[in-house]
Amino acid sequence: MKLDLSAGSIHTTLVEGQPHIVFRPAVEAIGLSYPAQLRKLRDRSWANRCDIATVAEDGKTRQMVAVDVRTFLMWLATVNETKVAEATRPMLVAYQRETTTAVNDYWTKGGAINERATDEQLDALEQQIEERRIRRALGLVQLIAAMDDTVDPKWKRSRQLHHYAEAAGEIAAIPAEDRALLVETYLKDRGLTRDESRSVRSSFGRRVSLAYQMQHGEKPKDAIGLVDGRERSVKSYTEADRPMFDKVWDEFYAATYPAQQSLGEAS
């Protein structure tokens, strides 16, 4: 990935999940000797470098040295701007001022936007983001379809409808009997804090599961839900089960959390 700066660009890549800078183009862009700078890195205990395969302009694959972000920034700090040619000095200053933000934002925030980008460049970027969103949504539809029979088919259908609508830029109209309701969602609707939710989640979930078995004569099926920010296997319910949730809540938890009201009650 090439990141454009105000006076040039740098080439970055991921190595074992960590952002790295392809060293040679960055060195030569500011008029320095690549062999000399590479020897300097080899003599520094703080330097972390590795060899990567890159495709050169002639289409051939060659081994290039890449350095991690900390090494690159340490190297930049050792380059005296007064020691480089005046014509390439703006490039060095741009590296030193902008590289940290650009590389960090690209790999940790999903993108780095050049403040000097033209309207045409921003329009093209928006188009790429939109295409990426559609591909992601349709990919999730396929992923859900491939899940085995232990996953609740109602939950699968609900999530697929949601992601199909997401790909089309719409909001899915999902009936209550198909709209997913998870324990985590219900407790959030009740207004519980994260700590409160954690303290009652297990017991509440067990009681809801038992109530479901008594009502339907079978255990609830599995689904995938976000719990504390992570995807985990959870029990599957729908909005049609909310009255059952409310009954369990009123019987066992309402006295402890009297101020909490569900979204259904609030409406």
Side-chain angles (χ1 to χ4, degrees):
M1 172 66 188
K2 184 175 75 170
L3 297 179
D4 292 324
L5 304 177
S6 59
S9 60
I10 57 174
H11 296 264
T12 73
T13 186
L14 280 181
V15 178
E16 296 182 354
Q18 298 300 317
H20 282 60
I21 291 86
V22 183
F23 195 53
R24 183 166 195 154
V27 172
E28 293 181 341
I30 54 177
L32 296 176
S33 167
Y34 171 68
Q37 297 303 314
L38 184 58
R39 284 195 299 272
K40 181 189 294 186
L41 282 189
R42 288 171 176 163
D43 293 336
R44 300 295 188 270
S45 60
W46 43 259
N48 293 312
R49 57 186 178 81
C50 61
D51 293 330
I52 61 170
T54 61
V55 179
E57 293 183 359
D58 60 7
K60 296 181 179 180
T61 301
R62 292 186 173 86
Q63 291 295 111
M64 298 282 282
V65 172
V67 297
D68 62 17
V69 174
R70 290 183 179 180
T71 297
F72 187 70
L73 297 180
M74 285 287 287
W75 169 76
L76 278 180
T78 67
V79 180
N80 187 339
E81 65 183 79
T82 64
K83 300 297 184 181
V84 301
E86 186 173 351
T88 58
R89 196 170 298 163
M91 175 78 77
L92 173 61
V93 174
Y95 276 3
Q96 293 175 326
R97 289 180 177 176
E98 300 176 38
T99 298
T100 305
T101 300
V103 174
N104 180 75
D105 288 356
Y106 180 80
W107 292 111
T108 63
K109 298 182 180 180
I113 298 178
N114 188 335
E115 294 182 359
R116 293 164 297 281
T118 65
D119 288 342
E120 291 77 10
Q121 289 173 324
L122 291 175
D123 289 343
L125 180 59
E126 288 182 358
Q127 180 64 28
Q128 291 178 29
I129 293 173
E130 177 67 7
E131 292 173 354
R132 173 67 178 84
R133 183 185 63 78
I134 293 173
R135 288 197 303 272
R136 177 185 178 277
L138 295 179
L140 288 172
V141 170
Q142 294 177 348
L143 181 65
I144 292 169
M147 292 179 176
D148 60 36
D149 294 339
T150 63
V151 178
D152 186 357
K154 291 185 295 184
W155 178 86
K156 292 170 66 174
R157 182 170 62 252
S158 171
R159 299 315 300 166
Q160 286 179 311
L161 289 172
H162 171 79
H163 292 305
Y164 271 128
E166 183 182 22
E170 302 171 350
I171 297 176
I174 304 174
E177 61 269 20
D178 288 332
R179 196 160 61 246
L181 174 63
L182 305 180
V183 167
E184 190 80 359
T185 306
Y186 182 85
L187 295 177
K188 184 177 181 180
D189 292 346
R190 279 287 177 182
L192 269 66
T193 66
R194 179 175 294 183
D195 288 341
E196 289 172 338
S197 179
R198 286 173 176 170
S199 69
V200 305
R201 186 167 57 208
S202 294
S203 64
F204 182 76
R206 287 194 298 271
R207 284 172 171 143
V208 168
S209 177
L210 180 59
Y212 184 95
Q213 292 179 62
M214 294 176 65
Q215 182 171 321
H216 297 281
E218 62 179 1
K219 294 181 179 180
K221 294 186 179 295
D222 293 331
I224 306 297
L226 285 177
V227 180
D228 291 337
R230 293 183 177 183
E231 287 190 347
R232 298 182 181 177
S233 177
V234 296
K235 296 303 178 184
S236 175
Y237 306 96
T238 71
E239 282 294 337
D241 297 314
R242 188 177 283 272
M244 180 185 67
F245 277 60
D246 291 338
K247 184 176 180 180
V248 172
W249 177 269
D250 291 341
E251 183 174 355
F252 295 99
Y253 302 93
T256 305
Y257 305 96
Q260 276 76 357
Q261 184 180 40
S262 74
L263 293 183
E265 294 171 339
S267 61

